[in-house]
Amino acid sequence: MRLFANLKIDFMSKRTFFYFVSTAFILLGVLGIFVKGINFGIDFKGGSEIALEFEKPIEITEIRSEVDKLGLGNIEVKTFGGSTGILLRTDLQEIPINLLPTVKSKIESLINNISPGLERKITESTNTAVIYEFPTPESADIIANRLYEAGFQTAEVSEEPTNTGVVVRLGISDWLKENLSEKYTDNPFTVLKEDKVGPKIGQELKSDAVIAVILSLLVILVYLGFRFKFAFAIGAVAALFHDVLITLGIFTVLYGVIPGLNLEFSVSIVAAFLTLVGYSINDTVIVFDRVREQMKIHKTAPLEDNINYAINRTMSRTIITTLTTALTVVILLIFGGEVLRGFAFALIIGFIVGTYSSIFVASAFVLEYSNRVKSKLQF
Amino acid sequence: MKELRFRLILIIGALALTIYLLFPTYQDYRNNKEVAKNLETVEKKIKTSNPTITKIELKDIIQSKKDSILTNNQDFRDAREKRIKLGLDLQGGMYIVMEVNTAKLLEKIAKDTDEQFNQILSDSEKESKISDENVVSIFSRRMREKNVRLSRYFGSIREDDTQIEARLLEQEADAVTRAIEIIRNRVDQYGVSEPNIQKQGSRRIVVELPGIAREEEAKRLLQGRALLEFKLVKEADQVIPIMNRIDEILAGKQETDTTTQQGDLTEEQFAKQHPFFAVARLIDQTGSIADAFVQEEDRDLISQYLQRPDVKNILPDNLEFVYDAKPEVGEDGKKFFRMYAVNKTAELTGGVIVDAQSNIDPSTSAPVVNMQMNSEGAREWARITGSNIGKRCAVILDGMAYTAPTIQNKIPSGNSQISGMPNLDEAKLLEIVLKAGALPAPIDIIEERTIGPSLGQDSISQGFNSITLGYLIVAIFMIFYYRKAGSFADFALVFTILLLLGILAAFRATLTLPGIAGIVLTMGMAVDANVIIFERIREELSTGKTVKAAVEAGFKHSYSAIFDSNITTFFTGIILYQFGSGPIQGFALTLMIGIATSLFSQLILVRLIFDFMLAKGYKVNLG
């Protein structure tokens, strides 16, 4: 079987049309980014995120209204995986001060429920933890275990058998877990994952991500400049920049549009972008390699013809290489699980845009450049 | 066929190496299955014998049983060490990033602090939260802006600002080193399997704890202050009778039992008659000191023995057994820990230590550690050393002994010298330990990620499914589109993945979920090289070349495009590796190894198959 066996399309003559298409997409994406804003995950924003898996299917709207009642401000509630998983996210770092008394009295009443009238002393009480002192090691043991089961993070102060102290931590995620476990006694959950990221880490990651993407573009520029001609390197990197921008735009615009697809911007999305940069250059290199070969054989032929010939001859391999890779990414999107979904989605968009730009942007850029400088490109 | 031989040997060699590298992973998989089966029966037994047991207690018991099985069996351990390690996102666990709180450190070591100092410090702290700059540099810059010299609060008047700033940075680095030592010490005690503790940048510590369920406990472990204690080692004539008694109780003998026969006993008989001494081997048979060597695995057993009520009864209140922090390794590679019997009450705690310095004693050229105490500590220390000359005093950090030097004479000034370390590294470690008790800066947790074991399990099976499905879909497409040549590529693809996994194991790298994504992606990208070559061969065939010539030309004309495109992808892999942490690094690593292995198999293996088929005269079609 052969696709595009004897393709003879004059791609370069239609390049103004594709400039229009690309510009439209970029503008749309940039507009989307400005209007909607990039939805950063807690990797970049800082905050807490927990994923819970219930035993039985749950109603997401019900959980949402339940969580809203807690007064923790804006907490995102989404599905995670199937119908039994939820994801809760907030950019708060710790429990708001006005809520602390509520949380603390809750712990008190829980202790009273477990062992009514138990003597106890609070040895330390901050906005992140309360430390209790109980009369006997056994009572400390029981309280620590029962509070833990109720959803609080507890620990005994020391591992010594004589220990009578218990630390109860007051974290956002603990408070959420406690309240949900109380509400859903007949449908218990387990914690799938729990992340807490300080604001500083997020700031650093953001600048690291930008540096990483720019650095990889630079490295490719230098390498291709060295292997081909500078015009080609510029064309390739312009195409990559175009890919990143459009993919980012589509990614941002589609946030929250497709149900079940969590498209927030996390570290793994940055990884997807870097992979996209590294991979999308492949198709461009294949075309350029052919242009170079053609230019060596037909030294006198106009560049436009050589480029057209190269694109036509490499069309089938460009499409098929992208197809095989995209197929595996589709598999990841469908079967790779919740964690990899956004990553796979970014890659799929990126691959499609990347293939398009290898054909219509990178080569057109080289031609445009050569027409402007008037000096003939030669290998 | 001769020209094929070299490549054939190369391929077979690579395959053999891969099998060798992956075998431990397979073994480990089987071992785990076996252990899990055993544990299931244990769990059932516990549940029937103790129906009221809480989930947490049960989990703890099962976990400790699992740990002891996995660590006690040498074969299990060997396989475990050489297998492909799973990242935290696949096996569950905690990832914590901590940072030394430099502002608190500055506050603590500054002298004569005033309103102005506090103001500048809190401003610097605020600024440091949103900037990459170090608190020390921000602080000194702000001081300069206000025209205040650093020497007003730190160091002496003769030093200039840059000198003081450099020293403050040094102290910050020092605090990090000490914190790492403390954390390592504690994590080792906790028995977490394969913890990973790393310094990141100048003042961050990254700790990975696989399989930790109760995060609060783990965090207390990491964050609390270190407790450094000086405890007197008990005299042998006090301890040995007690040990004898413990031994007798364990052997089930009455106090008056005299049937013990001395003389040559086989190891088994000895173990039966002296259960305690069989695991706690006295170092000095003459009985001048009561230190004993305990094998790594036997420490659990000893603590079980000591917890027995009948044994507890006869133990004096003020006696405690502690282990050395560092084991001695026997000839057979077994680790032995020295066990000391010490006073339970500490003579002194580490808060009194002002400074410690490791050094080489100029007169004996032996490594020593000099330790200074504050005036209060020095007074106490003079009393303790004065009345215990000739006795040993153990230096214990968080319950682990680091050394137990003999007190030579009364030390009145608080300036003591500890000698007897085998080398300067050990002396350096002791210096860190001595300073650790007075850890000046608290450590903040700035990032924390917990992955529950069930999510990890799901991720593994989803990853595995994706790899299988990804392979099938690519393989079917290749055969459909390129017929026989496609099947060569499919065969090479299997080889690529095996080689990739083998190299991962050889690098002792960890496989993460993004790493699995990297493998799946590699499968899609690996066949690209073949697609490029096959398309080119088809093109060459259409110009009327013979199959042999077309194959030759197809490969030749494809090399430059294949290399250029793969090298650029490889570059981004390197950048990604530098950028990312944990899981993302795993992805970058599999991507890079995937590129290398796929080039190897697509260019060498597929070519070899082509050449072989053509040499043998078989027909090769490309669809």
Side-chain angles (χ1 to χ4, degrees), chain A residues 168-346:
Chain A
V168 186
R169 203 168 51 128
L170 315 173
I172 296 258
S173 44
D174 308 311
W175 184 233
L176 284 170
K177 279 186 285 185
E178 199 278 329
N179 279 285
L180 286 178
S181 73
E182 192 173 75
K183 176 80 193 163
Y184 292 89
T185 40
D186 55 333
N187 188 5
F189 58 79
T190 52
V191 179
L192 289 176
K193 68 170 190 157
E194 193 171 340
D195 293 341
K196 281 170 216 117
V197 182
K200 198 174 172 191
I201 294 266
Q203 280 295 337
E204 280 174 19
L205 277 178
K206 252 186 224 170
S207 58
D208 281 357
V210 174
I211 291 171
V213 172
I214 290 177
L215 191 66
S216 60
L217 290 178
L218 267 180
V219 166
I220 288 172
L221 183 73
V222 171
Y223 180 78
L224 291 186
F226 171 72
R227 290 282 296 153
F228 292 87
K229 289 270 176 260
F230 193 62
F232 286 84
I234 297 267
V237 172
L240 286 180
F241 196 71
H242 160 275
D243 301 345
V244 170
L245 216 56
I246 292 185
T247 310
L248 185 64
I250 295 179
F251 198 80
T252 311
V253 170
L254 287 185
Y255 177 86
V257 173
I258 306 167
L261 198 60
N262 288 342
L263 292 185
E264 90 255 345
F265 205 83
S266 65
V267 173
S268 60
I269 302 303
V270 178
F273 273 94
L274 281 176
T275 313
L276 150 72
V277 166
Y279 185 76
S280 142
I281 194 76
N282 289 7
D283 295 336
T284 314
V285 167
I286 293 168
V287 177
F288 282 2
D289 185 66
R290 201 51 183 267
V291 175
R292 175 171 62 184
E293 192 186 316
Q294 214 48 38
M295 283 167 72
K296 280 179 190 162
I297 302 169
H298 302 282
K299 284 198 164 56
T300 50
L303 182 63
E304 191 167 344
D305 291 356
N306 278 335
I307 290 178
N308 267 326
Y309 179 81
I311 293 177
N312 279 304
R313 295 320 294 268
T314 54
M315 182 59 92
S316 61
R317 71 204 66 169
T318 304
I319 300 292
I320 289 168
T321 51
T322 306
L323 188 70
T324 55
T325 316
L327 278 178
T328 58
V329 183
V330 169
I331 296 281
L332 275 182
L333 181 75
I334 301 171
F335 301 99
E338 188 64 37
V339 185
L340 289 178
R341 206 153 280 163
F343 172 82
F345 187 75

Side-chain angles (χ1 to χ4, degrees), chain A residues 47-208:
Chain A
S48 313
E49 180 176 291
I50 41 175
L52 306 174
E53 168 93 21
F54 286 84
E55 254 169 32
K56 288 174 261 176
I58 31 104
E59 206 50 59
I60 189 97
T61 45
E62 197 187 317
I63 295 212
R64 199 169 282 145
S65 70
E66 208 50 56
V67 168
D68 280 344
K69 276 188 225 154
L70 296 179
L72 280 170
N74 189 22
I75 292 192
E76 282 177 71
V77 184
K78 290 177 177 169
T79 51
F80 187 83
S83 59
T84 53
I86 56 157
L87 183 84
L88 302 164
R89 180 187 309 129
T90 168
D91 39 7
L92 286 178
Q93 293 286 336
E94 47 196 40
I95 290 198
I97 290 171
N98 58 357
L99 214 63
L100 277 178
T102 325
V103 179
K104 285 180 183 170
S105 69
K106 179 89 209 182
I107 296 171
E108 285 286 324
S109 74
L110 267 173
I111 295 176
N112 276 334
N113 274 345
I114 298 163
S115 319
L118 183 67
E119 222 179 285
R120 57 184 174 268
K121 204 169 77 199
I122 294 178
T123 52
E124 207 182 308
S125 177
T126 65
N127 58 350
T128 53
V130 185
I131 301 178
Y132 282 98
E133 204 46 61
F134 294 101
T136 59
E138 289 75 26
S139 55
D141 243 20
I142 294 169
I143 299 284
N145 277 331
R146 296 286 294 276
L147 282 183
Y148 181 79
E149 277 168 7
F152 281 103
Q153 274 301 333
T154 58
E156 299 189 25
V157 169
S158 87
E159 287 286 300
E160 296 273 313
T162 54
N163 167 65
T164 55
V166 173
V167 190
V168 186
R169 203 168 51 128
L170 315 173
I172 296 258
S173 44
D174 308 311
W175 184 233
L176 284 170
K177 279 186 285 185
E178 199 278 329
N179 279 285
L180 286 178
S181 73
E182 192 173 75
K183 176 80 193 163
Y184 292 89
T185 40
D186 55 333
N187 188 5
F189 58 79
T190 52
V191 179
L192 289 176
K193 68 170 190 157
E194 193 171 340
D195 293 341
K196 281 170 216 117
V197 182
K200 198 174 172 191
I201 294 266
Q203 280 295 337
E204 280 174 19
L205 277 178
K206 252 186 224 170
S207 58
D208 281 357

Side-chain angles (χ1 to χ4, degrees), chain B residues 427-447:
Chain B
K428 194 89 204 155
L429 175 69
L430 186 60
E431 175 195 321
I432 292 170
V433 166
L434 286 172
K435 284 182 182 171
L439 189 66
I443 297 170
D444 301 333
I445 292 178
I446 53 173
E447 186 182 354

Side-chain angles (χ1 to χ4, degrees), chain B residues 413-607:
Chain B
S413 61
N415 294 340
S416 328
Q417 189 178 66
I418 302 171
S419 58
M421 278 69 66
N423 52 46
L424 198 59
D425 283 344
E426 291 283 313
K428 194 89 204 155
L429 175 69
L430 186 60
E431 175 195 321
I432 292 170
V433 166
L434 286 172
K435 284 182 182 171
L439 189 66
I443 297 170
D444 301 333
I445 292 178
I446 53 173
E447 186 182 354
E448 182 196 326
R449 289 167 190 277
T450 316
I451 296 108
S454 67
L455 184 64
Q457 267 308 323
D458 285 355
S459 295
I460 292 177
S461 59
Q462 282 162 342
F464 192 75
N465 288 345
S466 303
I467 290 180
T468 326
L469 282 169
Y471 178 76
L472 282 179
I473 200 159
V474 170
I476 290 170
F477 176 81
M478 288 300 279
I479 292 180
F480 169 73
Y481 200 76
Y482 294 111
R483 299 300 146 108
K484 201 178 248 174
S487 68
F488 301 165
D490 292 347
F491 175 70
L493 193 51
V494 177
F495 188 73
T496 306
I497 302 304
L498 285 180
L499 201 57
L500 193 167
L501 291 173
I503 292 176
L504 270 185
F507 274 178
R508 302 276 153 92
T510 33
L511 186 64
T512 60
L513 181 61
I516 293 179
I519 295 177
V520 178
L521 198 58
T522 295
M523 292 195 296
M525 289 166 41
V527 291
D528 285 5
N530 282 139
V531 171
I532 294 168
I533 295 164
F534 293 168
E535 288 294 322
R536 188 70 193 220
I537 294 175
R538 280 179 170 182
E539 222 177 287
E540 300 291 334
L541 278 173
S542 69
T543 62
K545 281 187 180 139
T546 64
V547 177
K548 203 171 157 82
V551 167
E552 187 91 13
F555 272 93
K556 204 179 117 205
H557 289 298
S558 305
Y559 283 140
S560 64
I562 291 172
F563 278 118
D564 283 339
S565 56
N566 279 292
I567 284 171
T568 48
T569 315
F570 197 84
F571 280 147
T572 52
I574 295 175
I575 292 167
L576 194 54
Y577 190 83
Q578 287 298 323
F579 158 75
S581 69
I584 300 297
Q585 280 190 331
F587 170 73
L589 199 65
T590 46
L591 196 66
M592 287 189 285
I593 299 173
I595 289 170
T597 56
S598 69
L599 283 185
F600 176 79
S601 50
Q602 309 292 313
L603 293 182
I604 296 177
L605 181 59
V606 173
R607 180 76 197 265

Side-chain angles (χ1 to χ4, degrees), chain B residues 35 218 320 612:
Chain B
V35 171
E320 182 180 59
F612 177 80

